[in-house]
Coordinates of all heavy atoms in Angstrom, one line a residue:
H1191 N 81.3 31.5 175.4 CA 82.5 30.6 175.9 C 83.0 29.9 174.6 O 82.2 29.5 173.8 CB 82.0 29.6 176.9 CG 81.2 30.1 178.0 ND1 81.8 30.8 179.1 CD2 79.9 30.2 178.2 CE1 80.8 31.2 179.9 NE2 79.7 30.9 179.4
R1192 N 84.3 29.8 174.6 CA 85.0 29.1 173.4 C 85.5 27.8 174.0 O 86.2 27.7 175.0 CB 86.1 29.9 172.9 CG 86.8 29.3 171.7 CD 87.8 30.3 171.1 NE 88.6 29.7 170.1 CZ 89.8 29.2 170.4 NH1 90.3 29.2 171.6 NH2 90.5 28.6 169.4
F1193 N 85.2 26.7 173.3 CA 85.7 25.4 173.7 C 86.6 24.8 172.5 O 86.3 25.0 171.4 CB 84.6 24.4 173.9 CG 83.7 24.7 175.1 CD1 82.6 25.5 174.9 CD2 84.1 24.3 176.3 CE1 81.8 25.8 176.0 CE2 83.3 24.6 177.4 CZ 82.2 25.3 177.3
D1194 N 87.7 24.2 172.9 CA 88.7 23.7 171.9 C 88.6 22.2 171.9 O 89.0 21.5 172.8 CB 90.1 24.1 172.3 CG 90.4 25.6 172.1 OD1 89.8 26.2 171.2 OD2 91.1 26.2 172.9
N1195 N 88.2 21.7 170.8 CA 88.2 20.3 170.5 C 87.8 19.4 171.6 O 88.4 18.4 171.9 CB 89.6 19.9 170.0 CG 89.9 20.5 168.7 OD1 89.1 20.7 167.8 ND2 91.2 21.0 168.6
I1196 N 86.7 19.8 172.3 CA 86.2 18.9 173.4 C 85.2 18.0 172.8 O 84.0 18.4 172.6 CB 85.6 19.8 174.5 CG1 86.7 20.7 175.1 CG2 85.1 19.0 175.6 CD1 86.3 21.7 176.1
V1197 N 85.6 16.8 172.6 CA 84.7 15.8 172.0 C 83.6 15.4 172.9 O 82.4 15.2 172.5 CB 85.5 14.6 171.5 CG1 84.6 13.5 171.0 CG2 86.6 15.0 170.5
D1198 N 83.8 15.3 174.2 CA 82.8 14.8 175.1 C 81.7 15.7 175.4 O 80.7 15.3 175.9 CB 83.5 14.2 176.4 CG 84.1 15.3 177.2 OD1 84.4 16.4 176.6 OD2 84.3 15.2 178.4
V1199 N 81.8 17.0 175.1 CA 80.7 17.9 175.4 C 79.6 17.8 174.3 O 78.5 17.5 174.6 CB 81.2 19.4 175.4 CG1 80.1 20.3 175.6 CG2 82.2 19.6 176.6
F1200 N 80.0 17.9 173.1 CA 79.1 17.7 172.0 C 79.8 16.8 171.0 O 80.5 17.2 170.1 CB 78.8 19.0 171.3 CG 78.0 20.0 172.2 CD1 78.6 21.1 172.7 CD2 76.7 19.7 172.6 CE1 78.0 22.0 173.5 CE2 76.1 20.6 173.4 CZ 76.7 21.7 173.9
P1201 N 79.6 15.5 171.1 CA 80.3 14.5 170.3 C 80.2 14.7 168.8 O 81.0 14.3 168.0 CB 79.8 13.1 170.8 CG 79.0 13.4 172.0 CD 78.7 14.8 172.0
D1202 N 79.0 15.2 168.4 CA 78.8 15.3 166.9 C 79.6 16.5 166.3 O 79.7 16.5 165.1 CB 77.3 15.5 166.6 CG 76.7 16.6 167.4 OD1 77.1 16.9 168.5 OD2 75.7 17.2 166.9
L1203 N 80.1 17.4 167.1 CA 80.9 18.5 166.6 C 82.4 18.2 166.3 O 82.9 18.5 165.2 CB 80.8 19.7 167.5 CG 79.5 20.4 167.6 CD1 79.5 21.6 168.6 CD2 78.9 20.8 166.3
R1204 N 83.0 17.6 167.2 CA 84.4 17.1 167.1 C 85.4 18.2 166.6 O 86.2 18.0 165.8 CB 84.6 15.9 166.3 CG 83.8 14.7 166.9 CD 84.2 13.4 166.2 NE 83.3 12.3 166.6 CZ 83.3 11.7 167.7 NH1 84.2 12.1 168.6 NH2 82.5 10.7 167.9
R1205 N 85.2 19.5 167.0 CA 86.0 20.6 166.7 C 85.8 21.7 167.7 O 84.9 21.6 168.5 CB 85.6 21.1 165.3 CG 84.2 21.5 165.1 CD 83.9 21.9 163.7 NE 82.5 21.8 163.3 CZ 81.6 22.7 163.6 NH1 81.9 23.8 164.3 NH2 80.3 22.5 163.3

Side-chain angles (χ1 to χ4, degrees):
H1191 311 281
R1192 181 174 171 264
F1193 293 95
D1194 291 325
N1195 296 319
I1196 299 177
V1197 176
D1198 62 339
V1199 175
F1200 296 110
D1202 54 328
L1203 292 180
R1204 299 193 192 284
R1205 58 184 158 81

